[in-house]
Amino acid sequence: MKSTREIGGSRPGLRERKKARTRAAIRQHAMRLFKEQGFAATTVDQIAEAADVSQSTFFRYFRTKEDVILQDDYDPRAVEAFAAQPPELPPLAAMRNAIKEVYSTLTPEEMEQERERHRLMLEVPELRGAMLDDYTRTIRVIADAVSERVGRSPDDPAVRAFAGAVIGVAMAATLDWAKGPPEDYSTVFQSIESAIGYLEAGLPL
């Protein structure tokens, strides 16, 4: 089975792999500290010390402490997987396949980190507000990817509506999953797939 780092292209070089490991270590230690002592009580200095990096190194990977939670490392992989889908597939089917490719390769540890990340976005007030800005950015990323696939402008109202609808149903499914039993790692994709299927069916009630 391909790793998520191989989806959509060749294996990254040594420098890129080292950067990815450093970024992952910073996030891992940050998430541990957030869980142990709370988001507000955790400082960038503490995160950097725990990850054995300098404060300047932390800021090369994350602009703020909030970005450790808000930045989604899986969005670029999903976009790459989406672009690699067979051209005859409709956009929603291609999106479903791309999301499945990414989520099906996550380890239980990565899934738990994703759950904790979304839980914090729900529970920490300053993250809830920033989350809306991040979803706006994600809608633009999806619109750009869809526009290339269908040969229309990313500013086309239909393309923007498509991207917003996909992100909306995915967000609803993911946030519900984040509030569910912590031992259930396998349901997030099923929830997203069901939500996309419901969208594909025309949102029947």
Side-chain angles (χ1 to χ4, degrees), residues 16-54:
E16 287 73 21
R17 296 200 302 274
K18 289 178 67 176
K19 289 172 66 175
R21 285 196 296 268
T22 300
R23 178 182 174 85
I26 292 171
R27 173 170 275 152
Q28 180 181 7
H29 286 287
M31 297 296 288
R32 176 179 58 79
L33 289 170
F34 295 155
K35 191 171 185 177
E36 290 175 356
Q37 59 192 36
F39 180 83
T42 300
T43 66
V44 169
D45 282 342
Q46 290 173 333
I47 297 169
E49 182 178 357
D52 197 24
V53 299
S54 66

Side-chain angles (χ1 to χ4, degrees), residues 9-200:
S10 59
R11 190 167 184 258
L14 176 61
R15 183 178 180 184
E16 287 73 21
R17 296 200 302 274
K18 289 178 67 176
K19 289 172 66 175
R21 285 196 296 268
T22 300
R23 178 182 174 85
I26 292 171
R27 173 170 275 152
Q28 180 181 7
H29 286 287
M31 297 296 288
R32 176 179 58 79
L33 289 170
F34 295 155
K35 191 171 185 177
E36 290 175 356
Q37 59 192 36
F39 180 83
T42 300
T43 66
V44 169
D45 282 342
Q46 290 173 333
I47 297 169
E49 182 178 357
D52 197 24
V53 299
S54 66
Q55 189 181 90
S56 61
T57 296
F58 174 93
F59 286 120
R60 282 202 297 271
Y61 290 90
F62 301 100
R63 293 174 304 167
T64 64
K65 181 177 72 171
E66 287 76 11
D67 274 354
V68 175
I69 302 299
L70 295 171
Q71 288 186 12
D72 186 344
D73 291 341
Y74 305 115
D75 283 352
R77 301 178 194 175
V79 168
E80 288 179 3
F82 176 74
Q85 297 302 309
E88 65 272 13
L89 278 183
L92 269 177
M95 187 64 67
R96 182 193 294 111
N97 287 355
I99 294 171
K100 184 176 184 178
E101 277 194 42
V102 172
Y103 275 99
S104 66
T105 56
L106 298 189
T107 66
E109 292 76 16
E110 289 172 323
M111 293 293 286
E112 176 56 24
Q113 187 177 92
E114 275 297 282
R115 183 192 294 278
E116 182 67 11
R117 194 172 69 85
H118 283 87
R119 185 188 67 78
L120 285 169
M121 284 192 284
L122 285 172
E123 295 181 358
V124 178
E126 57 263 45
L127 290 176
R128 282 203 303 271
M131 178 176 63
L132 296 177
D133 289 337
D134 191 65
Y135 276 119
T136 299
R137 177 200 61 79
T138 305
I139 287 171
R140 181 69 194 194
V141 169
I142 297 299
D144 287 344
V146 171
S147 71
E148 291 186 14
R149 187 174 188 85
V150 301
R152 298 167 72 167
S153 167
D155 294 320
D156 185 308
V159 172
R160 297 283 291 175
F162 177 94
V166 169
I167 294 303
V169 298
M171 177 177 67
T174 304
L175 294 180
D176 283 344
W177 168 74
K179 294 182 289 186
E183 68 277 4
D184 189 356
Y185 300 114
S186 62
T187 60
V188 62
F189 172 69
Q190 286 86 347
S191 297
I192 294 173
E193 185 177 38
S194 295
I196 290 177
Y198 183 61
L199 179 62
E200 198 169 19

Side-chain angles (χ1 to χ4, degrees), residues 1-17:
M1 180 180 293
K2 292 188 301 182
S3 74
T4 52
R5 291 157 184 81
E6 292 174 295
I7 288 173
S10 59
R11 190 167 184 258
L14 176 61
R15 183 178 180 184
E16 287 73 21
R17 296 200 302 274

